[in-house]
Amino acid sequence: MKLGKWLLPTYAILALVYLLVPIVYTIAFSFNDSQRTNIIWNGFTWNNWLTVCEAQGVCEAFGNSIFIASISTLVATVLGTAISIALVRYRFKFRSAMTLLLFMPMATPEVVLGAGLASQFLAAGMPKGITTVILAHIMFCISFVVVTVRARVASLDPKLEEAGRDLYGSPSQVWWRITFPLLLPGIVAAALLSFALSFDDFIITNFNRGAVDTFPSYVYTAAARGIPAEANVIASGVFLLAIAMVLVAQIGGAIRRKKLGITT
Amino acid sequence: MANEPSGRGFAQSGADLELVHVTKSFPGFTAVDDLSLTIPAGSFFALLGPSGCGKTTTLRLIAGLEEPTAGKILVGGKDITNTKAYQRPVNTVFQSYALFPHMTILENVAFGLKRRKIAEPLKLAHEALALVELDHLAQRKPQQLSGGQQQRVALARAVVNRPALLLLDEPLGALDLKLRRQMQIELKAIQSEVGLTFLHVTHDQEEAMTMADTVAVMNKGKIEQMGAPAELYELPHTRFVATFLGQSNLFDGQVTGTEGDTLVVSVPGATLHVSAARSQVSAGAITVGVRPEKLEIHRESPKAAGRQVVGPGRVIDTSFAGVSTQYVVTVPELGDITVFEQNDGDIVAVGEEVWLSWSIGHAFGLPIEAPFDETDLSTRALATAVQ
Ligand SMILES: Nc1ncnc2c1ncn2[C@@H]1O[C@H](COP(=O)(O)OP(=O)(O)OP(=O)(O)O)[C@@H](O)[C@H]1O
Ligand SMILES: [Mg+2]
């Protein structure tokens, strides 16, 4: 059928273009020799990339975001992994209630969550700042970690850990040599997801950040005046870094598979 | 000392295992029911039983992977009931292999040695792999092996530790006949060389009988009978053992009197005799049994002293099985009787009228009980079918 032959590729190309246009725009305008605003193309320059930290506050906000995302990811991943194991392996009181509670942050609208947290921090007398942002991020990241890691724990055969114990592995040896390596792909996925969510979050952060700027909140404020090209540089940088990580993982996996193929 | 839990180095000899009134109940289900047994050091003990009778649970209790609801477990005279799995001088070959998927075969086999800080773990692991003929695959991952190869790795991974007590949960189930025979010989060699104690769970009666010093037949969480293979086969104590271990022709009847040391039993359609010494009951209801290969088939009514004769009956089925032929003979009122005859060239045809006889000394008497659920036998039937 003629139509069917053309429809799918056309549709796919259109969808890809639609997805890629904003990204290409962002990257292109990171090279714009902008004057006061970065809206009109004024010619190509490397300057924005070379002097990225000279614009007021961009790098500070970026640093804050990285710091917040790192701490939140670390804490949420550790706690979330422990919770996942408990939820899958043990039967305890309020287990199903706990599962439900863990899904709440994902289901609740972010504005509600952000506002609710803000009033909680106010009631507790906690000044808004990096700490409150980190606490808020840990809270919603845990949910995503649990969802990701739980599936991995459920697919882990308890017999493997039993075999480890049978072969003289103490509880800590069994954890580090058997359980942890087998859960690692899930844990890494959860950590990457947490990092991305935390780095990206604007709404909840905005309710709890006080005077601290994160990268999204900086861009939001700057947008009123016309986003500086330095913000495009950082956004492009993050994007390229993510692409690079995916490529490395893919190529690494391919090499590993090939190596195994050779030894067989 | 060789038998100390998590002791350094290898066991110098096997340790005896003692289960004292061990019970394991799961919510709503008792998997192991007041089980007591002693396995002497250095012996090869086989545990036979239908699927779901509690064999794996028994092994898990001994390995420390499950806690008994009641009872005590002793290895080498030492109560280990309250010690942890990794402290017990016991290794298991798991029914489901449980190989570590993220490690190579070599790392899998060396795992236990490394945990106990035994010198040259890789060299020993290679040797163990050579024993199961898999050394050439040492660098592969478990997923890259066939089921039978994985099973042999599981075997090597446990055996390499030379534990005082080795628990084998159907360790040869996935192997073809030739490899299975070969592994049986290897296992037996390892066992007798170091004098380790083996507790071997199997579905394969022939394997149990050829390898084990002692066979225990388990049913519904209890041991029905335990003893040397020949003893168990020749003189079963229960209907379950008589039908689970090999085949038996069984006739339900009543003891009507005695003639010297022989019981006279009246069954529908015949009067049978069984030696009182070979019967578990001496009065009242009784089941008389005789193994099919003990029966002789005759074209004319035989006259022989000391032999039990039944018939005439009619051959309704014959099946040729190489060394022997299996006949099914139906005798009015007595029912269908199975006969195994050596093949000496004279094959009786279906439809012929025949008499059957057996030496009275070969019959055995059992307490009467309802024939056990045939579905229990399904896995055994499967297991024997694939042999
Ligand atoms: N964790 C558990 N909870 C509840 N019941 C269990 C549990 N583990 C085992 N059982 C039950 O205990 C019985 C004995 O199980 P077990 O695994 O010991 O059987 P088995 O003799 O090894 O059988 P197979 O020959 O099929 O391996 C089974 O009926 C099983 O359903
Ligand atoms: Mg089992």
Side-chain angles (χ1 to χ4, degrees), chain B residues 26-27 29 31 49-58 95 169-170 203:
Chain B
F26 295 110
F29 188 83
S51 184
C53 72
K55 303 180 299 289
T56 298
T57 308
T58 307
Q95 192 169 11
D169 200 349
E170 303 192 29
H203 268 134

Side-chain angles (χ1 to χ4, degrees), chain A residues 147-157 181-187:
Chain A
V147 170
T148 317
V149 176
R150 205 167 65 154
R152 191 84 198 171
V153 180
S155 71
L156 176 67
D157 184 359
L182 290 173
L183 294 184
L184 194 60
I187 294 175

Side-chain angles (χ1 to χ4, degrees), chain B residues 165-185:
Chain B
L165 173 62
L166 187 66
L167 308 175
L168 305 110
D169 200 349
E170 303 192 29
L172 309 175
L175 305 183
D176 61 64
L177 196 61
K178 180 171 166 283
L179 202 53
R180 183 191 288 222
R181 292 279 170 269
Q182 194 181 328
M183 287 298 129
Q184 287 173 355
I185 292 166

Side-chain angles (χ1 to χ4, degrees), chain B residues 29-366:
Chain B
F29 188 83
T30 301
V32 175
D33 192 1
D34 193 29
L35 189 86
S36 292
L37 61 84
T38 303
I39 303 179
S43 66
F44 199 119
F45 190 96
L47 196 55
L48 263 176
S51 184
C53 72
K55 303 180 299 289
T56 298
T57 308
T58 307
L59 294 198
R60 289 172 58 80
L61 289 166
I62 299 166
L65 301 171
E66 208 87 68
E67 270 180 48
T69 316
K72 277 198 301 182
I73 299 166
L74 292 89
V75 171
K78 211 186 262 176
D79 189 346
I80 57 159
T81 319
N82 295 315
T83 60
K84 299 269 180 274
Y86 64 94
Q87 298 164 324
R88 300 191 183 189
V90 173
N91 285 112
T92 311
V93 181
F94 288 82
Q95 192 169 11
S96 55
Y97 322 147
L99 301 179
F100 307 130
H102 57 301
M103 298 182 195
T104 62
I105 298 307
L106 188 68
E107 287 166 342
N108 262 281
V109 177
F111 189 88
L113 299 172
K114 286 184 180 165
R115 298 290 80 73
R116 287 196 300 164
K117 304 200 165 45
I118 285 181
E120 301 191 274
L122 295 183
K123 182 171 156 278
L124 291 168
H126 273 299
E127 283 171 14
L129 281 171
L131 200 65
V132 295
E133 304 195 343
L134 285 178
D135 202 24
H136 58 294
L137 303 179
Q139 296 310 325
R140 282 207 199 169
K141 292 282 182 69
Q143 313 85 279
Q144 299 169 303
L145 263 55
S146 76
Q149 290 171 334
Q150 292 184 25
Q151 194 161 44
R152 282 184 282 159
V153 174
L155 196 60
R157 188 178 67 173
V159 163
V160 75
N161 297 294
R162 300 282 147 116
L165 173 62
L166 187 66
L167 308 175
L168 305 110
D169 200 349
E170 303 192 29
L172 309 175
L175 305 183
D176 61 64
L177 196 61
K178 180 171 166 283
L179 202 53
R180 183 191 288 222
R181 292 279 170 269
Q182 194 181 328
M183 287 298 129
Q184 287 173 355
I185 292 166
E186 295 289 3
L187 271 182
K188 196 75 188 151
I190 297 166
Q191 189 254 340
S192 46
E193 173 202 332
V194 196
L196 303 178
T197 312
F198 275 34
L199 173 46
H200 184 117
V201 163
T202 173
H203 268 134
D204 180 351
Q205 315 165 24
E206 202 182 316
E207 185 174 294
M209 301 223 252
T210 51
M211 296 179 81
D213 308 314
T214 311
V215 175
V217 177
M218 197 169 175
N219 186 27
K220 301 200 175 113
K222 288 183 192 297
I223 289 195
E224 291 255 339
Q225 194 181 347
M226 196 158 91
E231 194 184 309
L232 237 66
Y233 186 81
E234 294 300 337
L235 195 53
H237 287 180
T238 65
R239 187 181 190 109
F240 177 81
V241 176
T243 45
F244 186 75
L245 206 65
Q247 293 187 33
S248 294
N249 294 301
L250 299 174
F251 313 98
D252 295 341
Q254 292 284 332
V255 178
T256 53
T258 52
E259 285 172 12
D261 53 5
T262 308
L263 302 177
V264 181
V265 178
S266 148
V267 303
T271 301
L272 303 178
H273 295 81
V274 58
S275 152
R278 288 177 54 86
S279 177
Q280 305 303 311
V281 287
S282 51
I286 187 173
T287 299
V288 176
V290 62
R291 298 284 188 186
E293 72 278 9
K294 302 292 191 317
L295 268 59
E296 250 173 63
I297 207 158
H298 310 272
R299 288 203 168 88
E300 277 128 39
S301 176
K303 297 271 174 294
R307 287 187 79 82
Q308 181 82 55
V309 179
V310 296
R314 215 162 274 286
V315 177
I316 57 167
D317 187 42
T318 71
S319 45
F320 178 76
V323 289
S324 68
T325 301
Q326 176 183 335
Y327 299 93
V328 180
V329 176
T330 183
V331 179
E333 289 189 80
L334 268 181
D336 291 352
I337 300 172
T338 307
V339 184
F340 294 150
E341 282 264 274
Q342 286 285 320
N343 277 332
D344 47 10
D346 178 23
I347 291 182
V348 183
V350 173
E352 276 192 68
E353 189 180 60
V354 293
W355 282 259
L356 302 171
S357 78
W358 62 86
S359 159
I360 288 171
H362 281 146
F364 47 82
L366 309 170

